[in-house]
Amino acid sequence: MGTVLAWATLAVWTGLALCHSWFWRTDQRLPEPVRPERWPSVAIVVPARDEAELLPETLPTLLRQSYPGDARVILVDDGSSDGTAEVARALTVPHGLPLTVTSPGEPPDGWTGKLWAVAHGVREAGDADFLLLTDADIAHAPDSLEALVATSGRDLVSQMAVLRTETFWERLIVPAFVYFFAMLYPFRRVNSARWRTAAAAGGCVLVRRSALERAGGIAAIRSAVIDDVALARAVASAGGRIWLGYATKVWSVRPYPRLADLWQMVARSAYTQLRHSPLLLAGTVVGMIAVFLAPPALAVAGSWQAAVAWLLMAATFVPVARYYRQPLVAGLLLPVTAALYTLMTIDSARRRAGWKGRTY
């Protein structure tokens, strides 16, 4: 029986490495820019709830965008209690993009707070050609907006922001988070018309206003907790072309210094991703054990097939490790991280999804 399981793990990892749309590669980057004849207008919408501490690191990077066309920044204060709006108003940049700070009030029934704030920002944006939806903890290089807009022919362009990896727990958990996301939503499939896979990374989403309207606007996803994927699916279902890749000009400044912080980040939405289904939860747990934990366990027991599977697993992690400037042998610890994610997912089933004092 052990030999059969060992061969099975080797077959699974051979298939994942070679037949799952090269999910492990990090080469999906913004293509070479194509300068338009007329630069479209853009409204940058930033929903913010209790972000006074991080805004001084992020908001000025948006206000300093060197965009050739008309652009403005709309920060939507989502019921903050820490003076977020006042901090934002004090961060205006001389000769920078115009800044509007507004607040929509508490969300109506059926809306998440963030999406109510985003919808308010979209209304404030008026007839802007494009909307850049970016989180309050995301910083941008000065030409980030220009590079996004110059990606021709797409209705929604999203980048996986470079997440912080300064502490031990961040280095262990964060690159694996990106790796698992890419395994679930292979970027090449998202970017190909041959597949129906739709996903986005919520920290940086540029969407054409007309495509958003065809998809039903933000109201179409008003109750979504995993709003980035929901938005991508809505735009794609309405006939829009979408693109998802790895960022080089966009990064997160939000710290997750303790395991508890990262645990909360994952657990607050993992069960939602599984559609609150006990059956899907059970399948996910069994799958994580079979795919990530069985190879090292069987390898330690003496199986060369499982050892090769473990090495294949580690090898597929190398591009993400390099992207995050981690040791290339970090992939050998992927089973440890997978075990933690499995526990986080199980824990998620006993929680209600929530963020900063709100539960859904």
Side-chain angles (χ1 to χ4, degrees), residues 47-67:
R49 180 173 173 84
D50 293 337
E51 298 287 10
E53 184 177 353
L54 296 183
L55 279 180
E57 295 184 64
T58 59
L59 186 56
T61 70
L62 294 170
L63 298 173
R64 294 191 183 104
Q65 287 298 300
S66 57
Y67 183 65

mmCIF file of all heavy atoms in Angstrom, residues 47-67:
data_model
loop_
_atom_site.group_PDB
_atom_site.id
_atom_site.type_symbol
_atom_site.label_atom_id
_atom_site.label_comp_id
_atom_site.label_asym_id
_atom_site.label_seq_id
_atom_site.Cartn_x
_atom_site.Cartn_y
_atom_site.Cartn_z
ATOM 1 N N PRO A 47 -10.400 52.444 -0.838
ATOM 2 C CA PRO A 47 -11.203 52.260 0.372
ATOM 3 C C PRO A 47 -10.281 52.121 1.574
ATOM 4 O O PRO A 47 -9.272 51.419 1.511
ATOM 5 C CB PRO A 47 -11.960 50.962 0.095
ATOM 6 C CG PRO A 47 -11.063 50.199 -0.834
ATOM 7 C CD PRO A 47 -10.332 51.231 -1.660
ATOM 8 N N ALA A 48 -10.598 52.783 2.667
ATOM 9 C CA ALA A 48 -9.694 52.767 3.829
ATOM 10 C C ALA A 48 -10.503 52.710 5.117
ATOM 11 O O ALA A 48 -11.378 53.544 5.341
ATOM 12 C CB ALA A 48 -8.797 54.010 3.819
ATOM 13 N N ARG A 49 -10.200 51.737 5.946
ATOM 14 C CA ARG A 49 -10.832 51.620 7.264
ATOM 15 C C ARG A 49 -9.727 51.478 8.309
ATOM 16 O O ARG A 49 -8.975 50.496 8.308
ATOM 17 C CB ARG A 49 -11.771 50.412 7.308
ATOM 18 C CG ARG A 49 -12.480 50.226 8.661
ATOM 19 C CD ARG A 49 -13.511 49.111 8.569
ATOM 20 N NE ARG A 49 -14.106 48.771 9.853
ATOM 21 C CZ ARG A 49 -15.132 49.396 10.417
ATOM 22 N NH1 ARG A 49 -15.685 50.437 9.802
ATOM 23 N NH2 ARG A 49 -15.619 48.998 11.581
ATOM 24 N N ASP A 50 -9.610 52.479 9.164
ATOM 25 C CA ASP A 50 -8.587 52.492 10.224
ATOM 26 C C ASP A 50 -7.184 52.269 9.663
ATOM 27 O O ASP A 50 -6.459 51.362 10.075
ATOM 28 C CB ASP A 50 -8.911 51.429 11.284
ATOM 29 C CG ASP A 50 -10.178 51.765 12.050
ATOM 30 O OD1 ASP A 50 -10.549 52.947 12.085
ATOM 31 O OD2 ASP A 50 -10.793 50.829 12.617
ATOM 32 N N GLU A 51 -6.806 53.100 8.700
ATOM 33 C CA GLU A 51 -5.512 52.973 8.042
ATOM 34 C C GLU A 51 -4.616 54.188 8.275
ATOM 35 O O GLU A 51 -3.700 54.449 7.502
ATOM 36 C CB GLU A 51 -5.694 52.769 6.533
ATOM 37 C CG GLU A 51 -6.440 51.516 6.142
ATOM 38 C CD GLU A 51 -5.612 50.245 6.328
ATOM 39 O OE1 GLU A 51 -4.527 50.321 6.943
ATOM 40 O OE2 GLU A 51 -6.062 49.170 5.861
ATOM 41 N N ALA A 52 -4.856 54.927 9.348
ATOM 42 C CA ALA A 52 -4.073 56.141 9.590
ATOM 43 C C ALA A 52 -2.582 55.855 9.711
ATOM 44 O O ALA A 52 -1.746 56.677 9.324
ATOM 45 C CB ALA A 52 -4.583 56.830 10.860
ATOM 46 N N GLU A 53 -2.237 54.694 10.226
ATOM 47 C CA GLU A 53 -0.818 54.373 10.437
ATOM 48 C C GLU A 53 -0.089 54.101 9.132
ATOM 49 O O GLU A 53 1.090 54.464 8.980
ATOM 50 C CB GLU A 53 -0.703 53.150 11.354
ATOM 51 C CG GLU A 53 0.733 52.788 11.713
ATOM 52 C CD GLU A 53 0.813 51.629 12.677
ATOM 53 O OE1 GLU A 53 -0.243 51.183 13.179
ATOM 54 O OE2 GLU A 53 1.935 51.152 12.930
ATOM 55 N N LEU A 54 -0.768 53.483 8.154
ATOM 56 C CA LEU A 54 -0.101 53.090 6.918
ATOM 57 C C LEU A 54 -0.215 54.128 5.805
ATOM 58 O O LEU A 54 0.629 54.163 4.899
ATOM 59 C CB LEU A 54 -0.677 51.758 6.411
ATOM 60 C CG LEU A 54 -0.456 50.533 7.296
ATOM 61 C CD1 LEU A 54 -1.010 49.287 6.621
ATOM 62 C CD2 LEU A 54 1.024 50.340 7.617
ATOM 63 N N LEU A 55 -1.228 54.981 5.853
ATOM 64 C CA LEU A 55 -1.448 55.931 4.760
ATOM 65 C C LEU A 55 -0.233 56.818 4.454
ATOM 66 O O LEU A 55 0.036 57.109 3.278
ATOM 67 C CB LEU A 55 -2.669 56.801 5.047
ATOM 68 C CG LEU A 55 -4.031 56.179 4.744
ATOM 69 C CD1 LEU A 55 -5.146 57.157 5.080
ATOM 70 C CD2 LEU A 55 -4.129 55.737 3.285
ATOM 71 N N PRO A 56 0.527 57.286 5.451
ATOM 72 C CA PRO A 56 1.692 58.118 5.104
ATOM 73 C C PRO A 56 2.712 57.397 4.229
ATOM 74 O O PRO A 56 3.502 58.053 3.528
ATOM 75 C CB PRO A 56 2.294 58.463 6.476
ATOM 76 C CG PRO A 56 1.125 58.427 7.417
ATOM 77 C CD PRO A 56 0.278 57.286 6.917
ATOM 78 N N GLU A 57 2.707 56.060 4.227
ATOM 79 C CA GLU A 57 3.620 55.296 3.372
ATOM 80 C C GLU A 57 3.046 55.031 1.993
ATOM 81 O O GLU A 57 3.803 54.770 1.057
ATOM 82 C CB GLU A 57 3.972 53.956 4.016
ATOM 83 C CG GLU A 57 4.758 54.025 5.298
ATOM 84 C CD GLU A 57 5.132 52.638 5.790
ATOM 85 O OE1 GLU A 57 5.898 51.949 5.074
ATOM 86 O OE2 GLU A 57 4.641 52.240 6.867
ATOM 87 N N THR A 58 1.732 55.074 1.850
ATOM 88 C CA THR A 58 1.122 54.631 0.596
ATOM 89 C C THR A 58 0.433 55.740 -0.188
ATOM 90 O O THR A 58 0.619 55.853 -1.399
ATOM 91 C CB THR A 58 0.091 53.526 0.890
ATOM 92 O OG1 THR A 58 -0.918 54.026 1.794
ATOM 93 C CG2 THR A 58 0.771 52.318 1.529
ATOM 94 N N LEU A 59 -0.354 56.576 0.487
ATOM 95 C CA LEU A 59 -1.128 57.579 -0.240
ATOM 96 C C LEU A 59 -0.244 58.545 -1.037
ATOM 97 O O LEU A 59 -0.564 58.857 -2.196
ATOM 98 C CB LEU A 59 -2.036 58.337 0.732
ATOM 99 C CG LEU A 59 -3.005 59.330 0.097
ATOM 100 C CD1 LEU A 59 -3.898 58.663 -0.945
ATOM 101 C CD2 LEU A 59 -3.860 60.000 1.181
ATOM 102 N N PRO A 60 0.881 59.023 -0.494
ATOM 103 C CA PRO A 60 1.729 59.911 -1.307
ATOM 104 C C PRO A 60 2.238 59.249 -2.587
ATOM 105 O O PRO A 60 2.461 59.931 -3.590
ATOM 106 C CB PRO A 60 2.884 60.259 -0.357
ATOM 107 C CG PRO A 60 2.293 60.125 1.013
ATOM 108 C CD PRO A 60 1.354 58.959 0.905
ATOM 109 N N THR A 61 2.417 57.931 -2.594
ATOM 110 C CA THR A 61 2.889 57.275 -3.822
ATOM 111 C C THR A 61 1.829 57.330 -4.917
ATOM 112 O O THR A 61 2.166 57.313 -6.106
ATOM 113 C CB THR A 61 3.281 55.804 -3.559
ATOM 114 O OG1 THR A 61 2.118 55.013 -3.293
ATOM 115 C CG2 THR A 61 4.256 55.688 -2.400
ATOM 116 N N LEU A 62 0.563 57.391 -4.537
ATOM 117 C CA LEU A 62 -0.501 57.554 -5.528
ATOM 118 C C LEU A 62 -0.594 59.000 -5.993
ATOM 119 O O LEU A 62 -0.790 59.278 -7.185
ATOM 120 C CB LEU A 62 -1.832 57.102 -4.938
ATOM 121 C CG LEU A 62 -1.953 55.612 -4.624
ATOM 122 C CD1 LEU A 62 -3.225 55.336 -3.831
ATOM 123 C CD2 LEU A 62 -1.937 54.785 -5.905
ATOM 124 N N LEU A 63 -0.463 59.920 -5.069
ATOM 125 C CA LEU A 63 -0.560 61.337 -5.424
ATOM 126 C C LEU A 63 0.599 61.772 -6.311
ATOM 127 O O LEU A 63 0.491 62.755 -7.055
ATOM 128 C CB LEU A 63 -0.597 62.176 -4.151
ATOM 129 C CG LEU A 63 -1.799 61.912 -3.225
ATOM 130 C CD1 LEU A 63 -1.644 62.668 -1.914
ATOM 131 C CD2 LEU A 63 -3.106 62.299 -3.914
ATOM 132 N N ARG A 64 1.719 61.053 -6.261
ATOM 133 C CA ARG A 64 2.900 61.407 -7.056
ATOM 134 C C ARG A 64 2.973 60.655 -8.383
ATOM 135 O O ARG A 64 4.017 60.634 -9.029
ATOM 136 C CB ARG A 64 4.175 61.135 -6.248
ATOM 137 C CG ARG A 64 4.341 62.012 -5.018
ATOM 138 C CD ARG A 64 5.743 61.874 -4.446
ATOM 139 N NE ARG A 64 5.905 62.663 -3.227
ATOM 140 C CZ ARG A 64 5.924 62.167 -1.994
ATOM 141 N NH1 ARG A 64 5.810 60.849 -1.813
ATOM 142 N NH2 ARG A 64 6.064 62.947 -0.949
ATOM 143 N N GLN A 65 1.892 60.047 -8.811
ATOM 144 C CA GLN A 65 1.920 59.309 -10.064
ATOM 145 C C GLN A 65 2.215 60.235 -11.245
ATOM 146 O O GLN A 65 1.604 61.298 -11.392
ATOM 147 C CB GLN A 65 0.590 58.592 -10.292
ATOM 148 C CG GLN A 65 0.374 57.392 -9.395
ATOM 149 C CD GLN A 65 1.421 56.311 -9.618
ATOM 150 O OE1 GLN A 65 1.569 55.779 -10.712
ATOM 151 N NE2 GLN A 65 2.158 55.991 -8.558
ATOM 152 N N SER A 66 3.146 59.810 -12.079
ATOM 153 C CA SER A 66 3.542 60.613 -13.252
ATOM 154 C C SER A 66 2.718 60.178 -14.457
ATOM 155 O O SER A 66 3.259 59.698 -15.464
ATOM 156 C CB SER A 66 5.037 60.415 -13.530
ATOM 157 O OG SER A 66 5.321 59.030 -13.737
ATOM 158 N N TYR A 67 1.428 60.367 -14.353
ATOM 159 C CA TYR A 67 0.525 59.910 -15.412
ATOM 160 C C TYR A 67 0.310 61.016 -16.441
ATOM 161 O O TYR A 67 0.007 62.161 -16.075
ATOM 162 C CB TYR A 67 -0.804 59.479 -14.794
ATOM 163 C CG TYR A 67 -1.775 58.918 -15.793
ATOM 164 C CD1 TYR A 67 -1.491 57.729 -16.456
ATOM 165 C CD2 TYR A 67 -2.966 59.575 -16.077
ATOM 166 C CE1 TYR A 67 -2.375 57.205 -17.383
ATOM 167 C CE2 TYR A 67 -3.863 59.056 -16.991
ATOM 168 C CZ TYR A 67 -3.562 57.873 -17.650
ATOM 169 O OH TYR A 67 -4.444 57.364 -18.567
#
